[in-house]
Amino acid sequence: MFGYDRKRVLAAGSLAGGKNNKVGGAEWGVSIPPDWKISKKLDSTVRISGETVLIAQDPSIKAEIKINKLPLGRGAAANFEPEEQLALAEIFSAAPRTRGGVDRASQERVAAVMERTLARQVAGQRSATRAYRVRPEDTGGYVDGAGRRYVVYGYDSDRCAGPVDYDGVCEAGTVPRRSLAVVTVGLELQARTLQEKRLMEAGEMERREIDVLWVATVSAPPKRFTGLTGELLADVATSFELEPILPITGRGK
């Protein structure tokens, strides 16, 4: 599958008519086609909390990208078991400028953790996702210029076409979606205020850091993940990077 063949999908994007626009905030960046509409964008957050930092869509092909961040630790307990959080932090540990890729075993471990999280979400009574099927052929990975590792995984799902009521009933029926997601972990300053953050950055206050999980997900109807359109959707997903100002998580090698 094309999802993790980064050189090929970036080349496909350049051939498809038009250069994607780089959008992002202080901690993250991604390239999206110029005709995609941004409905939410957070440039930066001071306090460490779970956030959706970007939502953008192309209504013409019913495609969407959503980027979420989630601090690991107590705040992630509803989504990840402690051993799963530790595994994610260890897998994404790497010294800056590391050029090696993400080995296949690590890719599969990350994909398995994310699949279990998806299963927990689907089991929720009011989840909009009613069923899912993993796509092992989409699993892959890449490394950015700073040596940060990213893992790609994919899945098909049936999503409620309308709101889910209080009893978990989806009266509107379901529609099929295919998702290609990119995940990584980075360190962030655990500051309570902007002033604390500035003091930590200046070395005038003890630095408190926390591992933060980032997930960028591109989704669309399954038929859109074919041909040139499919290559471009993979281009968008695999253009996701954390900015160099975010240290790579320090656990492991």
Side-chain angles (χ1 to χ4, degrees), residues 127-131 157-165 168-177:
S127 172
T129 303
R130 315 307 282 183
S157 61
D158 298 325
R159 292 185 58 84
C160 186
V164 178
D165 69 19
V169 176
C170 173
E171 295 183 352
T174 60
V175 293
R177 298 285 288 182

Side-chain angles (χ1 to χ4, degrees), residues 73-208:
R74 185 179 302 174
N79 298 297
F80 298 94
E81 297 293 338
E83 60 271 19
E84 294 172 338
Q85 297 188 43
L86 181 60
L88 289 172
E90 289 178 341
I91 289 169
F92 288 107
S93 297
R97 313 308 302 176
T98 296
R99 294 298 181 181
V102 185
D103 64 90
R104 186 66 183 180
S106 294
Q107 294 171 7
E108 292 175 350
R109 284 181 66 197
V110 171
V113 169
M114 301 308 292
E115 179 193 349
R116 290 195 292 272
T117 299
L118 181 61
R120 295 183 191 113
Q121 294 173 353
V122 171
Q125 183 181 17
R126 301 186 66 187
S127 172
T129 303
R130 315 307 282 183
Y132 75 94
R133 297 162 296 282
V134 296
R135 291 176 50 83
E137 63 270 33
D138 290 351
T139 302
Y142 59 91
V143 178
D144 67 18
R148 189 185 305 277
R149 302 170 182 177
Y150 301 80
V151 168
V152 183
Y153 65 99
Y155 58 93
D156 287 337
S157 61
D158 298 325
R159 292 185 58 84
C160 186
V164 178
D165 69 19
Y166 183 80
D167 295 321
V169 176
C170 173
E171 295 183 352
T174 60
V175 293
R177 298 285 288 182
R178 179 163 294 173
S179 298
L180 191 66
V182 176
V183 59
T184 192
V185 174
L187 285 175
E188 287 193 27
L189 292 175
Q190 197 172 13
R192 292 170 294 183
T193 64
L194 182 58
Q195 182 180 7
E196 276 194 2
K197 183 177 181 181
R198 289 171 176 167
L199 289 173
M200 289 181 189
E201 291 173 340
E204 299 175 7
M205 183 176 179
E206 181 183 1
R207 294 176 67 92
R208 299 189 303 269

Side-chain angles (χ1 to χ4, degrees), residues 4-38:
Y4 61 88
D5 190 346
R6 204 169 190 231
K7 291 182 179 179
R8 184 152 67 89
V9 298
L10 292 177
S14 66
L15 294 172
K19 188 175 182 180
N20 288 347
N21 293 332
K22 177 72 176 290
V23 299
E27 302 98 351
W28 58 275
V30 70
S31 295
I32 62 175
D35 53 348
W36 283 41
K37 308 300 181 185
I38 297 175

Side-chain angles (χ1 to χ4, degrees), residues 47-96:
R47 299 195 66 176
I48 300 295
S49 60
E51 296 276 7
T52 298
V53 300
L54 178 73
I55 300 175
Q57 299 101 355
D58 181 352
S60 68
I61 59 172
K62 298 181 179 179
E64 177 183 77
I65 181 171
K66 184 180 291 186
I67 300 177
N68 294 298
K69 57 179 289 190
L70 177 67
L72 297 180
R74 185 179 302 174
N79 298 297
F80 298 94
E81 297 293 338
E83 60 271 19
E84 294 172 338
Q85 297 188 43
L86 181 60
L88 289 172
E90 289 178 341
I91 289 169
F92 288 107
S93 297

